[in-house]
Amino acid sequence: MKVKINNKEYEFQEELSILDAVKKAHIIIPTLCYSEKLKPFGSCRLCSVEIKGERTLKPACVTKISNGMEIYTHSEKVRKVRSTIMELIIASHGISCNLNCLTCSKSASCEIKVIAEEIGIMEVRVPPISSRVPEDRSSYSIVREPQKCIVCDRCVRKCAEVQSVNILTIANRGPDTYVTTFLDKGMGNVDCVNCGQCVIECPTGALHEVYQTDQVWNVISDNSKYVIVQTAPAVRVAIAEEFGAEPGRIVTKQLVTGLRLLGFDKVFDTNFSADLTIMEEASEFLERFKNGGKLPLFTSCSPGWIKFIEHNYPEFLDNLSTCKSPQQMFGAIAKTYYADKIGIPREDMIVVSIMPCTAKKYERVRPEMKGDVDYVLTTRELAKMFKLAGIDLLNLPSEEYDEPLGITTGAAAIFGATGGVMEAALRTAYEVITGKTLERLDFESVRGIEGIKEAVIEIDGLKLNVAVVNGLGNARKMLDMIKNGEKDYHFIEFMACPGGCIGGGGQPIPTTKEILSKRMKAIYEIDKSFEIRKSHENPAIQALYKEFLGEPLSEKSHELLHTTYIARS
Amino acid sequence: MEKYYEKELLEELHDIQETYGFISEEDILRISEKRDIPKAHLYGVISFYSMFHLKPTGKYIIKVCDSVSCSLNHSADIVKVIKEHLGIGENETTRDKKFSLEVVECLGHCDEGPVMIINDTYYTHLTTNKVVQILDNLD
Ligand code: SF4
Ligand code: SF4
Ligand code: SF4
Ligand code: FES
Ligand code: FES
């Protein structure tokens, strides 16, 4: 197919959208409602282009190229129209002294600011229109500020198309159109699973996490409290992006140094409790397997996934592992075993988590969790704290995690990527079942970014059918297949976010496919760099069982490390 | 969202609106289940059409325009006097179920503002006195 773009001829094989064709010609057209992972919507009209012979401009994201088409992407007419559209968007955005870019949650990643510059907006001739829709602060995880919403529908589509949760909708029409939840009940009062995928999709500051940075500043400076921090596996491969580094940069040891500079009394690792999770979960699996317990076993470390199954598939609750997530296990051990060990009164021990996840903010307050964790910050919130403290993360010297809750293995490191929990569990299960040493540690078949992966793992003649699922849309597909009897497995790993925690709702923005695979590569690099790559060989975990827990699934383990679920339909 | 604007769905919503005067939360949940449409999207569809109501409404539904022209002609005063006279707020209904008040976008009589419509009747060039009279004369 021959197409002329700005008078230059190009040839394309497929029937691309004008937007995709133009991209291949290395021309940038501004877009707002378009997103690579979602169905095109065609509402913002910023991508409008001129086509020879057509009276009106056409939106490039929803118009296909055709043979002989002559497209003008930046003609004078296009530039004028685009600039008027942009002015209206800015006006509808209602920026004012109280509501401005300097104080906005997205000040560093705002797409409107970038586009305003691309289009060269110098003045806005229309007065700001402020929305009458009130803020939504009903959720423990996410805040909605409709004054900043430009109704691009991306959050609505992300929640529906990628997550299949369908929480958000566009309501009303005309200038009164706004984004909301069922009957305006608010995100905290509907079936929202707090995954935060809508937050990372939003081009503006209309959606962001519930901030806890102020509380953390306060508690750090409170000398009567012993404040420890844990860092999730996916944070160390992503936080550097907030400081302008290439995606995939590993800053584990700088992160430790930075947290010490902020004033935490001890810097520990969620990877420690990831190893602990493997001990409990692998034992739980083997017990169910031997004694005819409920299978397939579903993993339980992703709180977004947990809330999803509680709302939508309560009939499967017995399949869930009873293991708490690593974040909660960490808190439970820190406030008992560790507090006693160092002689700090349990009630003075404060646990802060740094998570790639917004759902962990909700998990923290679940009554079943009994206050294991006190504050949860996202990767983005921690970056803000570092900046506020003048900490130049990328150039900090390297330091090591504190002992003993900072001693970890390669198996724990991979929890951050989809497939990691499965692989770590297999490494341990293999050795427990066979009593032999596992030679090849890499289970390649469960790695990679695809939404659903399956593998048959042979252990001493025993065939284990396993699957790995990420993204809730894929989880829904998987559960429906099991329900209809189309699929049968022994063990399935589920993660709410596309790509697993490296693509979590609290991670740096943007999170594109390309960025995800770079973060994933970094995760497996970290695994390789460890001498010990199996959870059960972690000496600190071995000591914990010896000194305190006894053995996996002991009474004490059950009391501290396991939980229950609620049917919410 | 087009695919949910099917005729059948709209007819069902219409029937409920006609029969009960409004569409309740239970109605939405039931339809959501039956038609396998997410409840948030159903809410979106219902709110798109001004003929559907989510709360019981009064015998007379007063809609006052507050778009640009009307608001330059002091539509806010009209809204205020209605609220005071009837003792209700926006999107509320009087105890005796006689009146409901809504503030809406342009009613298409911009050069005759301020404008309101009560059920199917338009009232233009309103003044605060005139509004009170109109309301008092309805039974
Ligand atoms: S969303 Fe962007 S344009 Fe709007 S206030 Fe925030 S930074 Fe500024
Ligand atoms: S947090 Fe997740 S479930 Fe909730 S509205 Fe956003 S995308 Fe949907
Ligand atoms: S909340 Fe954000 S993503 Fe959703 S419609 Fe508004 S601007 Fe777009
Ligand atoms: S990006 Fe094409 S219409 Fe919004
Ligand atoms: S502005 Fe009120 S009728 Fe148009």
Side-chain angles (χ1 to χ4, degrees):
Chain A
M1 206 176 312
K2 284 206 171 84
V3 173
K4 264 193 184 164
I5 304 175
N6 300 340
N7 297 320
K8 213 172 150 207
E9 204 156 292
Y10 296 88
E11 188 148 1
F12 299 103
Q13 302 310 327
E14 321 116 88
E15 211 206 13
L16 300 170
S17 70
I18 295 181
L19 185 64
D20 287 334
V22 161
K23 260 190 209 157
K24 284 189 196 281
H26 302 291
I27 294 166
I28 298 167
I29 296 183
T31 60
L32 255 182
C33 66
Y34 172 84
S35 169
E36 63 170 19
K37 300 142 252 164
L38 306 174
K39 288 191 195 124
F41 192 59
S43 72
C44 76
R45 304 272 146 170
L46 267 182
C47 65
S48 295
V49 294
E50 193 174 349
I51 298 168
K52 196 168 176 186
E54 300 263 1
R55 219 166 34 84
T56 55
L57 300 188
K58 293 276 179 286
C61 64
V62 288
T63 314
K64 294 255 186 289
I65 53 167
S66 60
N67 201 21
M69 195 179 245
E70 293 184 30
I71 303 163
Y72 299 93
T73 62
H74 288 78
S75 62
E76 195 186 334
K77 186 170 167 194
V78 170
R79 293 204 309 268
K80 263 211 184 113
V81 169
R82 236 177 239 158
S83 141
T84 309
I85 295 173
M86 192 60 196
E87 282 183 52
L88 289 171
I89 292 175
I90 295 176
S92 77
H93 191 55
I95 312 181
S96 65
C97 289
N98 294 329
L99 178 90
N100 65 38
C101 304
L102 302 179
T103 56
C104 180
S105 61
K106 293 271 173 75
S107 57
S109 59
C110 170
E111 291 179 32
I112 308 199
K113 286 207 290 194
V114 175
I115 292 171
E117 196 189 331
E118 277 174 10
I119 296 182
I121 299 286
M122 306 294 275
E123 54 166 354
V124 177
R125 289 163 294 184
V126 233
I129 309 157
S130 62
S131 161
R132 272 188 289 190
V133 184
E135 283 188 5
D136 177 1
R137 293 190 179 267
S138 59
S139 161
Y140 283 107
S141 294
I142 293 160
V143 176
R144 292 183 49 246
E145 296 186 35
Q147 309 90 304
K148 293 183 190 167
C149 174
I150 52 162
V151 200
C152 68
D153 193 61
R154 277 163 61 178
C155 56
V156 178
R157 281 175 285 153
K158 186 76 171 283
C159 186
E161 292 172 21
V162 176
Q163 296 299 65
S164 78
V165 186
N166 293 300
I167 292 307
L168 301 167
T169 184
I170 288 186
N172 270 342
R173 63 171 146 184
D176 272 351
T177 309
Y178 67 106
V179 170
T180 185
T181 51
F182 175 52
L183 294 176
D184 303 327
K185 282 174 189 278
M187 289 174 90
N189 304 318
V190 290
D191 308 351
C192 168
V193 306
N194 307 305
C195 66
Q197 287 302 313
C198 50
V199 174
I200 53 176
E201 191 58 47
C202 180
T204 76
L207 284 164
H208 60 82
E209 61 271 59
V210 174
Y211 292 129
Q212 284 206 309
T213 45
D214 283 348
Q215 290 98 309
V216 172
W217 284 118
N218 286 341
V219 76
I220 294 179
S221 56
D222 179 348
N223 287 330
S224 67
K225 300 287 180 205
Y226 197 80
V227 187
I228 64 174
V229 64
Q230 55 165 323
T231 61
V235 176
R236 66 205 70 187
V237 299
I239 192 166
E241 291 164 34
E242 291 279 342
F243 296 84
E246 252 301 286
R249 174 100 157 251
I250 302 168
V251 288
T252 317
K253 294 182 176 176
Q254 288 73 22
L255 181 61
V256 173
T257 313
L259 289 166
R260 284 210 183 99
L261 287 174
L262 284 181
F264 287 102
D265 291 309
K266 285 283 186 287
V267 180
F268 290 134
D269 203 349
T270 313
N271 292 22
F272 170 84
S273 45
D275 280 330
L276 185 57
T277 305
I278 289 301
M279 298 302 290
E280 294 292 324
E281 198 157 325
S283 310
E284 184 183 8
F285 173 72
L286 292 176
E287 195 192 272
R288 289 195 193 197
F289 190 77
K290 274 193 233 137
N291 304 334
K294 190 91 175 169
L295 290 178
L297 179 69
F298 296 165
T299 59
S300 57
C301 4
S302 165
W305 147 247
I306 296 296
K307 193 148 184 278
F308 176 80
I309 186 171
E310 287 181 329
H311 279 295
N312 300 288
Y313 293 89
E315 65 272 31
F316 281 115
L317 287 183
D318 289 340
N319 291 79
L320 278 176
S321 160
T322 57
C323 288
K324 287 182 182 173
S325 72
Q327 141 163 299
Q328 297 300 138
M329 282 201 187
F330 179 92
I333 293 298
K335 289 190 175 184
T336 55
Y337 169 71
Y338 180 67
D340 296 354
K341 203 176 164 86
I342 61 165
I344 297 274
R346 289 184 178 187
E347 60 279 8
D348 289 341
M349 179 71 78
I350 301 290
V351 176
V352 177
S353 319
I354 314 296
M355 294 285 141
C357 178
T358 46
K360 291 262 168 22
K361 287 181 182 273
Y362 167 80
E363 179 183 44
R364 178 186 77 83
V365 296
R366 285 181 69 117
E368 307 87 62
M369 297 302 167
K370 307 188 191 95
D372 298 333
V373 172
D374 300 284
Y375 304 100
V376 178
L377 302 179
T378 61
T379 310
R380 295 188 295 265
E381 284 175 277
L382 178 62
K384 276 189 208 285
M385 284 184 78
F386 280 154
K387 287 180 185 166
L388 204 67
I391 292 174
D392 175 13
L393 182 76
L394 300 184
N395 296 308
L396 289 182
S398 301
E399 287 183 17
E400 301 292 335
Y401 282 103
D402 286 302
E403 297 185 356
L405 310 187
I407 298 175
T408 67
T409 69
I414 56 177
F415 262 62
T418 165
V421 180
M422 176 60 70
E423 182 166 346
L426 289 173
R427 290 180 191 173
T428 288
Y430 179 93
E431 300 204 346
V432 174
I433 296 176
T434 63
K436 289 185 236 164
T437 309
L438 176 63
E439 298 301 338
R440 262 185 59 86
L441 289 181
D442 297 347
F443 289 84
E444 249 100 32
S445 52
V446 296
R447 294 187 183 180
I449 219 115
E450 305 86 87
I452 298 182
K453 290 163 283 185
E454 322 180 76
V456 183
I457 309 286
E458 282 221 40
I459 302 184
D460 246 8
L462 209 98
K463 279 201 173 109
L464 284 188
N465 286 313
V466 303
V468 172
V469 182
N470 67 81
L472 292 173
N474 294 318
R476 187 181 286 281
K477 266 188 223 148
M478 175 56 83
L479 293 175
D480 286 341
M481 288 193 290
I482 298 175
K483 222 167 155 175
N484 302 335
E486 290 163 48
K487 293 278 181 186
D488 198 12
Y489 302 94
H490 296 106
F491 194 8
I492 310 180
E493 176 201 295
F494 287 94
M495 294 283 164
C497 291
C501 308
I502 47 174
Q507 290 283 63
I509 298 171
T511 293
T512 60
K513 258 198 186 134
E514 201 191 324
I515 294 175
L516 269 185
S517 44
K518 288 183 180 161
R519 292 180 192 158
M520 182 176 272
K521 209 173 136 250
I523 288 269
Y524 289 106
E525 257 172 59
I526 296 179
D527 172 25
K528 275 245 151 66
S529 75
F530 272 85
E531 205 153 302
I532 303 179
R533 295 176 63 200
K534 292 171 240 166
S535 298
H536 56 285
E537 290 177 356
N538 180 335
I541 293 287
Q542 289 168 346
L544 171 67
Y545 277 106
K546 210 164 138 223
E547 294 167 23
F548 186 67
L549 291 172
E551 54 185 18
L553 309 183
S554 67
E555 204 174 302
K556 199 154 227 152
S557 293
H558 268 293
E559 182 198 324
L560 292 173
L561 308 180
H562 292 256
T563 185
T564 52
Y565 306 106
I566 312 159
R568 296 179 195 264
S569 48
Chain B
M1 194 149 42
E2 302 75 16
K3 67 175 194 244
Y4 299 128
Y5 287 81
E6 318 138 345
K7 211 167 138 238
E8 245 182 86
L9 169 65
L10 292 182
E11 275 169 9
E12 178 165 11
L13 292 173
H14 225 111
D15 281 350
I16 299 172
Q17 173 68 44
E18 286 289 291
T19 317
Y20 302 100
F22 72 108
I23 301 168
S24 71
E25 181 168 346
E26 289 70 43
D27 292 326
I28 302 180
L29 294 177
R30 187 173 39 76
I31 297 174
S32 161
E33 185 94 346
K34 182 174 87 179
R35 297 187 183 268
D36 200 18
I37 302 173
K39 53 184 187 275
H41 292 206
L42 274 178
Y43 176 52
V45 172
I46 292 167
S47 69
F48 183 85
Y49 295 98
S50 55
M51 64 217 180
F52 296 139
H53 295 275
L54 292 154
K55 277 199 252 167
T57 51
K59 181 173 169 201
Y60 297 105
I61 301 175
I62 310 165
K63 296 179 182 175
V64 186
C65 167
D66 81 335
S67 287
V68 186
S69 290
C70 288
S71 86
L72 287 176
N73 284 315
H74 310 292
S75 59
D77 295 345
I78 303 298
V79 174
K80 190 161 164 251
V81 81
I82 297 177
K83 284 182 180 167
E84 281 166 9
H85 192 66
L86 299 178
I88 54 174
E90 235 181 279
N91 299 319
E92 287 178 8
T93 299
T94 52
R95 248 169 214 281
D96 61 1
K97 300 260 182 296
K98 190 164 171 193
F99 293 105
S100 301
L101 173 64
E102 291 173 17
V103 177
V104 298
E105 291 297 325
C106 183
L107 291 168
H109 287 257
C110 314
D111 48 352
E112 302 169 275
V115 177
M116 71 176 176
I117 175 172
I118 299 182
N119 293 352
D120 291 326
T121 316
Y122 281 93
Y123 300 88
T124 55
H125 299 297
L126 294 172
T127 63
T128 46
N129 285 337
K130 214 164 140 186
V131 168
V132 171
Q133 251 177 30
I134 294 168
L135 296 183
D136 286 347
N137 286 338
L138 289 168
D139 49 21

